[in-house]
Amino acid sequence: MSLPVMSKIPFGGDYNPEQWDEGVWDADYRAFDLAGIDLLTVGVFTWALTQPDEETYDFGTLQRILDRAHAEGRKVCLATGTAAVPPWLAQRHPDVCRTDFEGRRHLFGVRHNACASSPDYRRLAAAVAGRIAERFADHPAVVAWHINNEYGGLCYCENCAAEFRLWLQARYGTLDRLNDAWNTTFWSHRFSDWEQIVPPNMLSEHWRGPNHTAFQGITLDYHRFNTDNILRTFLEEKDAIRAHSDLPATTNMMAIYRHLDYHRWAPHLDFASWDNYPTDGSPVSRMALSHSLMRGLKDGQPFWLMEQTPTMTATRDFNPVKRPGVMRLWSWQAVAHGSDSVLFFQMRHSKGASEKYHGAILNHAGRTDTRAFLEVAALGAELETVGDRLLNARTPARVALLFDWDSWWALEISDGFSRAAKYEAQVVSYYEALWQAGAVVDVVPVTADLSAYDVVVAPFLHMLKGDTATRLEDVARRGGTVLTTVMSGRVDEDDNAFLMDVPGPLGDLTGIRVDETDSLPPDHSQPVVLAMPGGAERTVAASHLFDVVQLRGATAVGAYTEDFYAGTSAVTRNAFGEGEGWYVATCLDQDGVDWVVRRVLERHGLVGPFADVRDLEHTTREVDGRRYEFVLNHAAVPVAVDSPFAGVDILTGRTIGEGDALELGPADVLVVEAR
Amino acid sequence: MSLPVMSKIPFGGDYNPEQWDEGVWDADYRAFDLAGIDLLTVGVFTWALTQPDEETYDFGTLQRILDRAHAEGRKVCLATGTAAVPPWLAQRHPDVCRTDFEGRRHLFGVRHNACASSPDYRRLAAAVAGRIAERFADHPAVVAWHINNEYGGLCYCENCAAEFRLWLQARYGTLDRLNDAWNTTFWSHRFSDWEQIVPPNMLSEHWRGPNHTAFQGITLDYHRFNTDNILRTFLEEKDAIRAHSDLPATTNMMAIYRHLDYHRWAPHLDFASWDNYPTDGSPVSRMALSHSLMRGLKDGQPFWLMEQTPTMTATRDFNPVKRPGVMRLWSWQAVAHGSDSVLFFQMRHSKGASEKYHGAILNHAGRTDTRAFLEVAALGAELETVGDRLLNARTPARVALLFDWDSWWALEISDGFSRAAKYEAQVVSYYEALWQAGAVVDVVPVTADLSAYDVVVAPFLHMLKGDTATRLEDVARRGGTVLTTVMSGRVDEDDNAFLMDVPGPLGDLTGIRVDETDSLPPDHSQPVVLAMPGGAERTVAASHLFDVVQLRGATAVGAYTEDFYAGTSAVTRNAFGEGEGWYVATCLDQDGVDWVVRRVLERHGLVGPFADVRDLEHTTREVDGRRYEFVLNHAAVPVAVDSPFAGVDILTGRTIGEGDALELGPADVLVVEAR
Amino acid sequence: MSLPVMSKIPFGGDYNPEQWDEGVWDADYRAFDLAGIDLLTVGVFTWALTQPDEETYDFGTLQRILDRAHAEGRKVCLATGTAAVPPWLAQRHPDVCRTDFEGRRHLFGVRHNACASSPDYRRLAAAVAGRIAERFADHPAVVAWHINNEYGGLCYCENCAAEFRLWLQARYGTLDRLNDAWNTTFWSHRFSDWEQIVPPNMLSEHWRGPNHTAFQGITLDYHRFNTDNILRTFLEEKDAIRAHSDLPATTNMMAIYRHLDYHRWAPHLDFASWDNYPTDGSPVSRMALSHSLMRGLKDGQPFWLMEQTPTMTATRDFNPVKRPGVMRLWSWQAVAHGSDSVLFFQMRHSKGASEKYHGAILNHAGRTDTRAFLEVAALGAELETVGDRLLNARTPARVALLFDWDSWWALEISDGFSRAAKYEAQVVSYYEALWQAGAVVDVVPVTADLSAYDVVVAPFLHMLKGDTATRLEDVARRGGTVLTTVMSGRVDEDDNAFLMDVPGPLGDLTGIRVDETDSLPPDHSQPVVLAMPGGAERTVAASHLFDVVQLRGATAVGAYTEDFYAGTSAVTRNAFGEGEGWYVATCLDQDGVDWVVRRVLERHGLVGPFADVRDLEHTTREVDGRRYEFVLNHAAVPVAVDSPFAGVDILTGRTIGEGDALELGPADVLVVEAR
């Protein structure tokens, strides 16, 4: 199974006409025509509508929505609608409601409110999904199945406790093995009966909150269990659909979302999709990282951008509108990194409830002359021009960034060292450096095949599972470069420390030994002097964590200048086979990370053509022998560069010669089909 | 029914002799004589004393307190004592205890601890109120009934759930109507049984806290229900009293208190009263606003200042003592704005429990030579001099400020735009501008008769109910000026967005259209240039919210200078009938609000005589053809002005001629009876 | 009973070989030999191991650990292991789990998790302690009993409610007496049945958290009850041990730990011990204060330093490593202030769970060539050199600092004045001044015999119990100096205010009267000018609290310079008998406290020899006619001073003459046996 079959990049998004009189639908469709909208995501929160009580289904409204879409030539991504339980279900089966981290059983309310261990929820969610598939499998408008919505959160109820114990039995087999994995002899925790195990929350193993646990083992396993347990409900719905339809199924994910290890989900998705709601102030590169993480789920297969706001969000403390051009720029960024769709939440502003001020293509007045609508319509026209040329195109990357939910969890639920040194921030920082340098990068799990990459970057790879260390050594052995950092190579798959020198199994690759790691509050930093042989020095700042490194074969690339470890190495590189193992022993500021990453890329000639133009993004997609060069100006100022490639800008039809001056205003985009 | 009949401004306040041996009472009365104290509020927390168990009443102590008061010529405001349940009641009927926002059933403790839905609480509170009224209705000391105390808070128990459902049935009649009002089709919330509805708290519709709800409709209605539900207990006590007494009844309110919509209470109060405990750092004008809000409850009828501290509070993190003269100044400010009493909490410091360090007239040593006591005694003497001259005087205002609890609630429980832009802050800012300009202002509900006002100011009037928009248009049509702002005219009474251009039904009056509103963190601001034709420009700062205004008849008074909406209008005015509709499209700093408000007042000649002397307050009361000009110096420095009026200062007997130099030191007060 | 009999300062600490294969034990012992480790604390968290279910005990592993220790000549401090309940116990008797301040019953998890009121916990903890004592009483390695571990926390369950009522009945006898003590007439709280009393938490008397209670009386008594209730479990274990063994028993305390009043525990400990984990940024003197507080528990008897980390902690947000030399310096500081041991947590890094990154002597690689190990081994050698010379030495102090848990609790749970003025901070500040001045200080309870002291310092002595005021007067009467401060002398033992002028029973001693106390936010301060007759003036800063002082015999030592009390006294001294009573009426900055304390010490010639060298610590111990002068350089720079004493440095054997130059680098230590 793969992506839905489309003849161009689908354009549209979430559409909730069930909230409106059908008279409004006419206005919607006139507007959709104006904007070139050809794909509608329908039915995301319709369970109370499609199943008004446990015994009754009513698909009349959905039918009318789909018929109308088809009549006007639009396609539908059809949702199962199970992401919010209807009131009758909570009333009749209270166990569908979650118990939170504080141990409180919830009542009916909000959304994403179902316990994935509830037999009633599982039974009824699969049933309604099956019924919808049965009814609409052959509807000509339907091109894909959208199961549930933004899965997430955790539950700590008795049903979850029981399911967790079964999951543990399957994982460990015996209590002895579990006791060893969790090191329960510590603090008198040795379990003698599976029933003694309760979900780890504020009533049991936690103090101060979700990241502070007395036993990392149980908390880590609860995250893994939760990922699998929620995945099971996805699979139950998917199976129910499969009984009636072979159309591809997905669910909209949230990319860098901590609660679910999407790598465990990836094999079960026909295609990946996700919702892009960047927080204000996060770097533009974080969106590129997110797109690449989603592309990495299915070995480089394109994904769908399922949602983005055309204007503003509603749930933040402050919800700025997107500046002119930004919606288009970010839409093209998604495509540049592998999206085969451009979709929005949503078509029309809700009139009431919590998203009444969330941006939409049509505002409360239903106007088609607003800035938001006009920008959407212009993008719709542009996408029609582009047609099918970019569909199924792949990204030819020689650099991989490792992303690992287990390391994220294990690191941040551990006591010790620094609570302020965060996994996501480090990954974002290293990706930012790669992005500014113009490297084309895949973001992959630690289990990925690394044989195609020249450079592998693994920041904060706290947990080393299976043969990861060996496979990283292989990268270097054959001439590649592996870059890792402080906090890497500390624990095994059970979160037990390696009983060897830090950085554990990465010691040979990096050629160092670390006996002690200092950790200081974030307001503390010290200069680190970086230098390559014969190259210029650069002084950057180090903070948070400070490995005291002993060289065991490696050579110094940078050194601390203060404290009792002044003069010792802060950055090292080690010859290993034909390649190198680099180690950054501290948290460098962005300038420092940029410098280190640039040195690594230079070794392999992987610095991009616009590496010296700040915030000018470049990446590449290829399909059927055609190559597309994307150039996006995220800077607030115009930029001018010489074109490193020749071809035709498919957005304007303009021919570009190698060496031609390319001038891009703020938010400008070029998509050059190489000649 | 109206105010208690008094022969002068009553002076005194809360008195709790039941906490002391009767020997102490003698010392109390000697001190009261020294201080001119003639009114005692008695019995506020005496339920455990007056009813030691469910079957027994004991009014002996109250009788002795009242008899002693009468014997010495003092009057009593007699409380029903129901604001804190006695231990036996919580023990015998646990349902009297509240369930909090987190869903936790409370046990016995604190005060204001009763659930207003508890049948046992309601029954027993009304019973004890009736018994007290029966016993003391004809006691010669009693002049008024003080029901309960500082009503407030919310409960989320099963009894409340049941009462809420009844309230909803009465409001909506059918579930279809309710589902439409709450827009429940959104997120699959369509209710099919009234029993499915549960109180909105952290276990149901809320996330992050009381202001974050998935469904504004249910949360808004819960606030309305709570107001009505608590009011019912007030009415039940009042009815029980009425069976025995026709003396006026009140309860002490808290003015700008978010949890209760006092406008719904106003018709049921014989007279309004409130407790003035300003937080440190709040502007002096906020007290004037509070007094005016209380005066506005009963169409301008004077109210009672029921409590203020003579020295310091106890529940704040920091509890400064009132500086010399401040207690007197603020007492006169209350009178200036319509109070017919000057009362304190309390007569004598408690020896123990949470208010042992709350200020009192008599300290723990019982001294009558402390600064606090001496200042109280001086004020007591002053009030005796004034006699009955100010009683029942009214405030002749031509400016109205609209205050609307529904807008407050709806705005602050809504997702979208800015969480930092607060209703109270905006109302306080516009009132501050009016106050510094010396305008005499009424603070009234949106349902008030506006026909007497030249200027109506309506900041953040988020919700437009009933014919409010029409009545505001009427103000302008006949020549008045209406000033409203960003965030106004957004939603109807159900909190559903108006399906029209912003600012909804205020569009014609303001002559503008708004398609998008930017919202930015509080640390962001931009200059706005204000200018009137032929007048000087002024540059002020705009922050939080930024409507992008399109002029549809209005003219610009001020413009943004930055961002993509630079040059568009930040302040507008629109000719409408004989008058004008003004719109402030952003949150201006105080300087900006002052400038705009001054322009509006100037149009009607309503700028006061001391508008250019900062913090010199002026207001007016009138009774029986006499007019009193109050001048209060809140500045830390002396001020000198020419008197705009002629008359006699009733505090000193000094004759003042028009144009005479008035010199007021810090905290000085003049009350000039105009000649 | 007294300290364990040792032939030198025991060196070692927590040892948990039960977490490891016995093969690792060999490596441990080789390392212990290298480091001079001769005492192991064994069995602290072993309940799940020693009692695998309610009916079964298994001491095999403990036996092997003890036998091995003995075989290699090491001694053991043997723990009862009851500080963390085993899973089977929580499963079988859920009432052993605590109910927290929020009223939530906990499930199995973490440690220090047992309710001290649980009959099952009490029965089974005493039983296992007895069994361990029975088995190992005569084991030749065992030198002391370590009962439980770091007792602490509170529980609010039904069992605790019942025990609390019994405790109250024992304390008050009648409800009338209790109602009077708690002043329950306030807010209608008069109890008519003991069963009406529930533990004070967020479901009953509290708001905003543990420090905000409506009734200080009940909350204060709950702290006292909790201290006694947990102490009871200690005594039950101790009694069970005493049936088999007369070896001394202790528990490791936490010094300045708010939840337990260790003075109530002191009579029941054979010897005191504690765990020193200073938070980063706290002054070095706070450790000296802590040591002295522990020494003060048993009238000056030496204590054991039971735990400290050799390198870093794990539970803090940031966990820096101890800088070179600091572990040794702080170890000697403990000895200097009365410790007869130097012990660590722990011997070897755990491989998993929450302390896997807590520092240990042996790291995960088990290396003996790390900085941490080498510093430990060097200290071990040094201690062998010193031998038994310092054992049982006493500290000859002429200055006492009063430390009072009741005042700490009462002050910080009270509404009123300033929430930012904290007991601990003030005590630390006054101790810091004494420490920098080089005074040799005892830290004692208010019940201590004060007859040996020339100076008694009592900051924030909020509660005055029993004859404390009289005994303080006695100090001054015979020529001593008593120094007390704002917030002192406010309440009696029931937390009811003294019905007299502030500072209550301290009024005669201090010669002042206070009618009002201003309190302002921490960002506010004002200059205070300090001066002694004929001495130089010094201007310091005052903040938080500002008593307005009237002199009633005292003379001014310092005066405010701002606000309405400018010119009034901020510091006073009063001639009383042959001595003086000093009063600091505000919170002075450290400079101010230093100045005042120095003046007081000068009066008695108690300023130390290095008072002008910042952070150069000096203190003294004496035993059998020998006197040891400890000099420790906590400064980051070398210092040079002339030796005020003659003798031999027992760490180096170097002879030192009076007047010789003493040069101490950073972290250097001298222990001079006086000649």
Side-chain angles (χ1 to χ4, degrees), chain B residues 140-205:
Chain B
V142 177
V143 296
W145 301 106
H146 178 295
I147 295 176
N148 206 284
N149 180 69
E150 294 183 349
Y151 283 106
L154 297 100
C155 175
Y156 298 86
C157 72
E158 283 297 317
N159 284 333
C160 283
E163 294 288 339
F164 183 43
R165 290 180 200 119
L166 293 173
W167 186 93
L168 291 170
Q169 286 168 29
R171 178 176 178 85
Y172 293 111
T174 67
L175 273 177
D176 276 353
R177 171 71 190 98
L178 175 145
N179 279 311
D180 184 56
W182 294 357
N183 198 35
T184 57
T185 306
F186 177 80
W187 286 2
S188 186
H189 263 49
R190 197 155 188 91
F191 295 102
S192 54
D193 181 344
W194 294 97
E195 295 299 311
Q196 289 161 1
I197 299 169
V198 295
N201 66 9
M202 277 307 285
L203 303 189
S204 56
E205 292 296 0

Side-chain angles (χ1 to χ4, degrees), chain A residues 81 145 162 217 452 468:
Chain A
W145 301 107
T468 304

Side-chain angles (χ1 to χ4, degrees), chain A residues 490-507:
Chain A
R490 294 276 182 166
V491 294
D492 64 19
E493 186 157 358
D494 294 330
D495 194 56
N496 283 317
F498 290 113
L499 300 181
M500 54 197 300
D501 291 328
V502 172
L506 298 174

